[in-house]
Every structure is written in structure tokens, then in C-alpha cells.
Amino acid sequence: MSMEAVVADVVAVAIPRGGLSSGIRAVRIVWHRELLRFWSDRLRIVTALIQPLLFVFVLGTGLGSLTRGVPGVDFKTFVYPGALAMSVLFTAVFSAGSIVWDREFGFLREMLVAPVSRTAIVIGKCLGGATTATAQGVVVLALAGPVGVPYDPLLMLKLLGMMALLAFTLTAFGVMMAARIATFQGFMGLTQMLLMPLFFTSGAMFPLSGLPAWLAWVTRLNPLTYAVDPIRRTVFDHLDISAVARAAYAPGVGWGSYRVPVWLELMIVAAVGLLMLGVASLEFRQAE
């Protein structure tokens, strides 16, 4: 075969030119892959619902019979915003753990040698994890009625936006950790060590008022507090309850005498998410 014939048989390979359009295309591809991976793992979707349901209907009912707290408010209603945050929390972080799987099976190396920005890969991972975690949260959101929360369209829209923001920040947190961990067992051990303290000191399971001084400081320093509190305050703003009940169960986060507004809490969550995204991008540039 002549040299000319060999050259003619070579399939042309299109190399992305780079730039913004190439980066957006890489983000979309990684994001789509995360959705396909999530949808194909039906068992994970079901098991991720178990913990929030246990917290709302078992823990909420059990503690409700003990506390008999403020009249007019079922304890399941109080626990419900924490269960929403929990459903997003674990799904988002474990979605980021797929990076460790990709590294173990060599797929991550193939992605990193692609002629696209590594920041685009990180953003795609974060958006994919945020989308799947928000979708998981929507299932728990559908249980609002049985716990006494109205299906108000504006309320549902607000909660959906807050869950999406929380999911993005938590996925960025997971990607940041997964960037340097070699084994999935190590990732699971580290996330369990960090996630449970973050969750239990966020006020998801108890009101933020009347706490001991040390615990009050811990809750204020916990970034997750500023994601759980807006969800609870938004839910309670749509309940027909007394001002006393609202002040007892949804007092908000206080910096001294200053009550942190919801918009500022959401800004803090967004800033933390962007910071972690930046750190994760830097780690990926130095990885492999």
C-alpha cells in the first residue's frame, strides 16, 4: 500500500480549539455523565431516602412525644427542614466520591489528559452532583404535606433554590476532599468523620435558641448552619402558628444582638461553595 493510501485512510481527529465554548461543552459532558450515573444507580436513590424518612417520621414522632414543646407545632414539622438538608448533604458529598472511583479505574486520568480545562471538569462535577442531590431533595420535599407543611408554590420554589445552593456547596466540598484521596474507603472514612459533626452542630435537630455558650459558638462557626436556618425560617414563615412558636423553633442565627438575615446566610453559603470550588480546581491542576 502506498504512503498516499495510508494517509488517506487515517481518520481525522478533531481537537477542540479551547476557549469558552470548549469549556462549556466539557462542563455539559461531565454534568450529563453524572446524571446518567445517578439514574442508573436506582438502589442508591432508594437508600438515600431512608435516613431522612427515619429522622422525620421516627425520630420526629419519638422526640415529639417526649418534648411536648410549643403547642401548635408538631415536632415532625420542626425536624422536616433538617431532613431536607440531610437528603441533600449525603447525596451531594457521595456524588463527589465518584472521582475516587474514576481515579481507581483510570478514567480520571483519561479525563485529565483531554484538551479541556481542568476547571471545567471540576465545575461539571459540581453541577452534576448539585443536580442529582437537588433531585433527591425534591423527593423529600414531596413529603411536606404529611408533616404539616403547605404545598405553597412560592414556598416550594424557595426551598428548591436553597437546596440547589446547598447541594452545589456540598458537592464542591466533596470534590475538594476527593481530589487528594486515593481510595474510596479513605474517602468514606473522612466524610463520615466530618459530615456527622457538621450535621449535628448545624441546628438541624434542635433549635438555635437557649444553647450553652460553647455550643452556640460551634453552631455559628459551622457553615452548614447558614444553610439549614434559612430553610427552617422559610418553612416556618409559611405556617399558621403563633409568634411565640416561631421564635422558639426558628429564632435564626444571632451574632450578639444582630439577627443574621436570610439573604446574608445564603451569601455565606454561596461564598463558601465558590471558595471550595476554587480550591478543588487548584488541586486538580496539580493532580495526576
Side-chain angles (χ1 to χ4, degrees):
M1 183 180 294
S2 66
M3 182 61 69
E4 290 76 9
V6 172
V7 173
D9 289 339
V10 174
V11 177
V13 177
I15 299 177
R17 296 180 179 178
L20 181 61
S21 61
S22 176
I24 293 175
R25 183 169 179 268
V27 168
R28 183 174 58 81
I29 291 172
V30 176
W31 171 79
H32 188 229
R33 178 173 178 265
E34 291 299 313
L35 298 191
L36 293 177
R37 182 200 293 262
F38 175 75
W39 184 246
S40 63
D41 193 356
R42 309 292 174 81
L43 181 62
R44 192 182 82 175
I45 299 174
V46 174
T47 55
L49 289 173
I50 294 176
Q51 278 189 325
L53 294 179
L54 286 175
F55 269 83
V56 171
F57 294 106
V58 177
L59 186 65
T61 303
L63 291 181
S65 65
L66 287 175
T67 57
R68 304 293 184 196
V70 179
V73 179
D74 193 313
F75 199 73
K76 291 195 296 293
T77 308
F78 171 78
V79 172
Y80 180 67
L84 282 176
M86 170 182 276
S87 65
V88 172
L89 171 70
F90 290 100
T91 306
V93 174
F94 292 151
S95 175
S98 65
I99 291 176
V100 182
W101 280 112
D102 289 341
R103 178 181 289 113
E104 289 187 342
F105 289 100
F107 187 76
L108 181 62
R109 183 178 295 276
E110 296 181 11
M111 294 175 68
L112 294 180
V113 299
V116 295
S117 165
R118 294 189 176 185
T119 300
I121 296 174
V122 173
I123 293 174
K125 280 282 184 183
C126 291
L127 292 179
T131 304
T132 57
T134 304
Q136 190 80 46
V138 168
V139 180
V140 181
L141 196 62
L143 301 174
V147 298
V149 176
Y151 290 111
D152 183 285
L154 183 58
L155 171 62
M156 296 293 117
L157 194 60
K158 288 180 179 178
L159 294 178
L160 192 61
M162 292 177 186
M163 287 193 300
L165 177 62
L166 174 61
F168 177 80
T169 298
L170 291 171
T171 308
F173 172 67
V175 171
M176 182 184 69
M177 291 194 302
R180 289 293 182 180
I181 298 178
T183 65
F184 195 73
Q185 290 80 2
F187 177 80
M188 290 293 292
L190 183 61
T191 53
Q192 291 293 338
M193 184 183 72
L194 294 176
L195 290 186
M196 297 311 291
L198 282 174
F199 179 74
F200 280 110
T201 58
S202 67
M205 293 294 120
F206 52 80
L208 295 175
S209 59
L211 298 176
W214 67 269
L215 185 54
W217 273 106
V218 171
T219 58
R220 289 169 192 156
L221 294 174
N222 184 353
L224 194 57
T225 302
Y226 300 96
V228 174
D229 185 61
I231 294 175
R232 175 162 292 131
R233 286 165 67 175
T234 302
V235 168
F236 274 69
D237 284 346
H238 286 75
L239 299 180
D240 185 17
I241 58 176
S242 66
V244 174
R246 187 171 288 109
Y249 279 145
V253 180
W255 293 343
S257 59
Y258 178 68
R259 187 176 187 240
V260 183
V262 168
W263 67 265
L264 182 54
E265 292 179 307
L266 297 177
M267 289 287 289
I268 292 173
V269 176
V272 171
L274 292 175
L275 175 64
M276 292 182 176
L277 177 67
V279 174
S281 298
L282 289 176
E283 289 180 328
F284 264 79
R285 289 178 184 176
Q286 301 169 2
E288 308 297 327

